[in-house]
Amino acid sequence: MSDFLTKLQNQKPKILSLLAFGFRLENGKYLYTTRLLEDQFTLTVIVEQNGQFTTRLVDNDSGELYVLHEVASAQGAFVGRLREEFEAVLEKVSTCFEIDVFRSPQAKQVIQYVRREYRDELEFFVA
């Protein structure tokens, strides 16, 4: 799971892609909710306006936040299956983000200049 969160740190959300994926805007945050493990858990993916990405996994029977899937040493068929489904959702959500390595105002000006002058996108060789 941390691989996905690390990957998304240097990326910014594509708002239209988020909405097309099924995210909804609530209180300035984009939320996506889905069920895992045959409706035993509810996963909510939260994307802030600034691109910050968080998740909440709730056990539907108890209503409690579930975090065992984030513990690398946790093993077993149940937590393994839950982790697989969780990561599969994050993998799909990651398609709604684009690389945003250059965050300084100067870098953004260069990117805009290339788009405007050459009607093209810069190629980024880092991922």
Side-chain angles (χ1 to χ4, degrees):
M1 185 222 36
S2 61
D3 291 339
F4 292 103
L5 295 178
T6 301
K7 176 183 171 184
L8 294 176
Q9 282 180 349
N10 289 331
Q11 297 191 16
K12 64 180 178 181
K14 299 183 285 187
I15 302 304
L16 294 177
S17 295
L18 290 175
L19 295 172
F21 188 85
F23 280 81
R24 66 190 184 286
L25 182 61
E26 278 187 28
N27 299 322
K29 299 176 184 181
Y30 293 91
L31 305 174
Y32 173 74
T33 304
T34 189
R35 301 286 181 127
L36 302 180
L37 282 186
E38 299 158 2
D39 292 338
Q40 293 181 48
F41 293 88
T42 299
L43 171 62
T44 303
V45 180
I46 305 158
V47 179
E48 308 261 348
Q49 295 283 349
N50 64 4
Q52 186 178 349
F53 180 91
T54 56
T55 61
R56 288 182 41 93
L57 186 62
V58 175
D59 182 328
N60 290 334
D61 288 336
S62 68
E64 296 289 323
L65 191 62
Y66 187 86
V67 295
L68 195 56
H69 66 291
E70 296 176 353
V71 178
S73 62
Q75 297 181 10
F78 179 80
V79 74
R81 199 166 130 223
L82 180 59
R83 191 177 288 132
E84 280 179 18
E85 287 191 28
F86 179 84
E87 290 179 354
V89 171
L90 292 185
E91 177 92 32
K92 291 176 186 173
V93 167
S94 72
T95 64
C96 299
F97 287 76
E98 63 186 354
I99 295 173
D100 187 28
V101 176
F102 304 106
R103 296 175 185 223
S104 72
Q106 296 85 357
K108 291 184 183 288
Q109 287 175 347
V110 169
I111 292 168
Q112 290 303 318
Y113 176 80
V114 169
R115 287 180 180 153
R116 191 175 53 252
E117 270 311 300
Y118 301 104
R119 300 186 199 300
D120 203 359
E121 293 292 322
L122 292 173
E123 290 186 33
F124 299 101
F125 297 107
V126 293

